[in-house]
Amino acid sequence: MKILVVGGGGREHAIIMKLKESPKVTELYCTPGNGGISRYAECFDVGATDIDGVVALAKQLAVDMVVVAPDDPLVLGMVDALNAEGIMTFGPNKAAAIIEGSKVFSKELMKKYGIPTAGYETFSDSASAIEYLKKQNSYPAVIKADGLALGKGVIIAADENEAVEAVKSMIDGRQFGDSSANVVIEEFLTGPEISVLSFTDGKTVVPMISSMDHKRALDGDKGLNTGGMGTVAPNPYYTKEIAEECMKNIFLPTINAMNSEGRTFKGCLYFGLMATPKGVKVIEYNCRFGDPETQVVLPLLDTDLADIFTAVYNGTLSDIDIKWKDESCACVIMASGGYPRSYPKGIEMHGMDENGQADGVFVYHAGTKYENGKFYTNGGRVIGVTATGDTLRGALDKSYAAVEKISFDGGFYRHDIGKRALEAK
Ligand code: AMP
Ligand code: GLY
C-alpha cells in the first residue's frame, strides 16, 4: 500500500511510525509534514486544509489510501472530496466530523440521546448569555466557543467578571471568528480526565488503550490551556468498571446516535471524558486522533494499523482482533518559550541525532524544520519525547532523562507529567 498522511504534527509522526511497521505498507508520504517526519516519509508542501491540492497530490502519487489526521480538513469535507475521486480514506466525512466541528451540535446530540454530559445552554447574543450567567451565579463557569478554535476555545471563568469578559469577546468580538458566533455555557464538572480514542466503522466501536492529557501550560495545572503538554497511557482512572460503564452509556449510544442522525462516523472517534462523582460524563468529542494522546497510544498497539484503517473503510472492523502491549508509555512535550501565546521560530535545537532522535526514547516531532543536517524549531509545541516501559514510572524516567539532554533557547516543558496518574494507585 502507498499511503499519504495529511497533517504535520506529532500525531502525524506517530501515525507514520506505526504504519511503517506494517509489512503491507510500501510507500509513506506526508503533507505538509515537518522536519522530523521528513526523515521517515517524503513530505510535500500542500497545506493540510488545501482540499483540491491534497486530492491532486493523492492522484499524482497514485496512493491507495489517504489518512486525514487534523480536525479542520475533516470538518471542511476533505474525506468527501477524496472519496468522490474513488480514493480510500481514513477519517470521517463532513457530515460526521460535525461532532467536533460544532459544540452546539454535539451537546444537542447528547441531550437528545441521553448521553451523560454537563448541563448547558446555548447562546448567540451576549445580553442573554450574561443574563443567564447572572441568574445561575455559579462559578467557575465554563464558556465554550461553538466551532474549532485550535484547542483555545474553552474558558473556565473564576467569577462573573471573567465570564462576562469571555462572553463579550467571543460573541461580540468574534474572538474565534465565526467559531464563536455561538457559545455554550455549561456546568463545571470535577474529577480526573480520561481520553479514550476509538476505532469505529459505524457498526463496531473498539476503544484504544486509555490515556491522560495534561492541558495546562505549567506544572501543577497552572497557566493557560494548550493543545496538550504531555500524556501517559494507560490511564489508571479508567478501570474495568468505568470501561464497561462507558461502553454502555457513552460509546455505543454515540455511534448509534450518529447513525440515527444519518451521520455515520467512520474513523477515530475521540471521547474526552471526566470521571465525576456522579458517573462518567463527556467533556468533548473529537473527530480524529488526539495530539499528544496518539504519541502514547499507538506505540502500545500490537496490531497492523494499515489493516485496521482498511477495515474501518470497508466496514469490517468486527473481523479484526485489536491487541495492546502490556506496557506503559509517557510523552513529554518540549514547547517554544511563550507558547501558547506568541513564540519565536527558527531556533537551533541541540541534543538530537541526524534523524532527530535521542537514546532510549522516540522523539515525535511536532513543530520542527530540518535544514542542512540541523533541526530548528518551527511551532509552539516542538517535540514529544516518548518512552515505553514496564511501568509508568519507568517510562517517565526514560522520557525525562532524554528531555534533559535536548535543548533549544527558550524551550520549556512540564516536570509533572504523569504525577496524577502515579498517585491513582
Ligand atoms: P475541551 O476543549 O472541551 O476538552 O475543554 C478543554 C478543557 O477544559 C478540558 O480538558 C477540561 O479540562 C476543561 N473543561 C471543559 N469542560 C469542562 C467542564 N464542563 N467542567 C470542568 N472542566 C471542563
Ligand atoms: N489533546 C487533546 C486534543 O487532541 O484535542
Side-chain angles (χ1 to χ4, degrees):
M1 282 178 93
K2 293 162 77 172
I3 303 183
L4 168 65
V5 176
V6 177
R11 164 184 56 206
E12 288 75 14
H13 199 178
I15 292 171
I16 281 170
M17 296 319 291
K18 199 50 164 186
L19 287 172
K20 252 190 142 43
E21 291 176 13
S22 167
K24 300 203 172 84
V25 176
T26 52
E27 298 289 339
L28 274 167
Y29 307 108
C30 188
T31 196
N34 63 41
I37 294 174
S38 72
R39 309 301 291 152
Y40 300 93
E42 190 180 346
C43 294
F44 296 86
D45 54 15
V46 177
T49 54
D50 179 355
I51 294 185
D52 293 342
V54 167
V55 171
L57 181 64
K59 284 170 135 176
Q60 179 201 322
L61 297 169
V63 296
D64 300 292
M65 174 183 273
V66 179
V67 178
V68 183
D71 46 7
D72 24 7
L74 290 166
V75 170
L76 290 170
M78 186 176 282
V79 162
D80 309 58
L82 288 160
N83 292 162
E85 296 289 335
I87 301 167
M88 178 155 71
T89 46
F90 181 80
N93 63 14
K94 184 176 182 174
I98 192 175
I99 198 163
E100 174 170 4
S102 167
K103 289 205 193 284
V104 173
F105 171 87
S106 69
K107 294 300 285 191
E108 281 170 1
L109 185 85
M110 288 186 268
K111 187 188 258 179
K112 181 169 171 189
Y113 293 92
I115 298 165
T117 189
Y120 74 102
E121 291 289 335
T122 304
F123 299 93
S124 57
D125 78 283
S126 56
S128 334
I130 291 165
E131 191 187 325
Y132 174 79
L133 284 165
K134 289 192 168 153
K135 197 172 84 212
Q136 295 289 108
N137 192 30
S138 161
Y139 296 94
V142 183
I143 298 149
K144 299 187 173 184
D146 174 37
L148 299 181
L150 295 170
K152 296 172 189 169
V154 174
I155 299 292
I156 314 280
D159 54 37
E160 189 178 303
N161 279 345
E162 276 183 39
V164 168
E165 181 61 30
V167 160
K168 283 186 176 160
S169 55
M170 284 198 202
I171 299 181
D172 300 335
R174 289 291 194 271
Q175 190 183 358
F176 303 107
D178 287 346
S179 281
S180 62
N182 293 295
V183 303
V184 169
I185 299 183
E186 67 178 37
E187 175 196 1
F188 179 76
L189 302 175
T190 55
E193 288 186 54
I194 306 168
S195 301
V196 179
L197 286 55
S198 69
F199 293 112
T200 178
D201 60 1
K203 293 176 277 189
T204 305
V205 55
V206 184
M208 301 182 213
I209 205 161
S210 59
S211 55
M212 185 189 282
D213 193 6
H214 298 70
K215 287 223 165 75
R216 301 292 199 97
L218 307 175
D219 285 14
D221 289 331
K222 303 243 161 54
L224 293 172
N225 260 327
T226 68
M229 291 298 292
T231 35
V232 297
N235 183 326
Y237 294 96
Y238 191 68
T239 59
K240 197 163 161 286
E241 293 71 35
I242 287 197
E244 280 166 13
E245 175 187 338
C246 289
M247 183 54 85
K248 183 164 150 276
N249 297 339
I250 296 172
F251 304 158
L252 288 171
T254 301
I255 301 303
N256 293 336
M258 290 298 276
N259 286 333
S260 302
E261 295 294 310
R263 296 176 180 275
T264 296
F265 190 103
K266 288 174 137 192
C268 172
L269 181 54
Y270 166 130
F271 298 91
L273 307 168
M274 196 176 266
T276 79
K278 289 186 189 157
V280 181
K281 298 194 181 187
V282 177
I283 291 282
E284 65 162 349
Y285 293 114
N286 290 327
C287 66
R288 44 146 184 108
F289 282 99
D291 190 341
E293 282 89 343
T294 309
Q295 291 89 311
V296 290
V297 167
L298 288 187
L300 300 176
L301 176 64
D302 219 359
T303 303
D304 189 323
L305 187 59
D307 281 347
I308 299 174
F309 284 175
T310 306
V312 165
Y313 185 77
N314 290 331
T316 54
L317 190 57
S318 63
D319 296 348
I320 297 198
D321 185 17
I322 298 180
K323 296 204 179 76
W324 299 92
K325 295 176 190 162
D326 187 17
E327 291 175 34
S328 293
C329 193
C331 170
V332 178
I333 297 288
M334 296 183 77
S336 297
Y339 175 75
R341 290 209 174 95
S342 61
Y343 48 82
K345 288 184 183 177
I347 296 181
E348 188 178 340
M349 301 175 67
H350 305 281
M352 300 187 300
D353 67 20
E354 65 275 16
N355 286 322
Q357 294 305 316
D359 279 348
V361 298
F362 194 87
V363 180
Y364 291 109
H365 287 231
T368 67
K369 206 165 61 180
Y370 181 72
E371 253 172 33
N372 303 326
K374 287 183 179 171
F375 289 92
Y376 298 87
T377 65
N378 195 35
R381 290 189 293 177
V382 179
I383 49 175
V385 181
T386 307
T388 53
D390 292 335
T391 61
L392 176 56
R393 181 75 270 167
L396 285 162
D397 287 347
K398 281 196 247 176
S399 294
Y400 275 112
V403 162
E404 278 165 26
K405 292 190 201 132
I406 302 173
S407 64
F408 47 93
D409 279 350
F412 77 99
Y413 58 90
R414 275 182 65 160
H415 304 78
D416 61 348
I417 300 302
K419 186 165 176 275
R420 191 163 192 192
L422 287 170
E423 285 166 0
K425 295 282 157 69

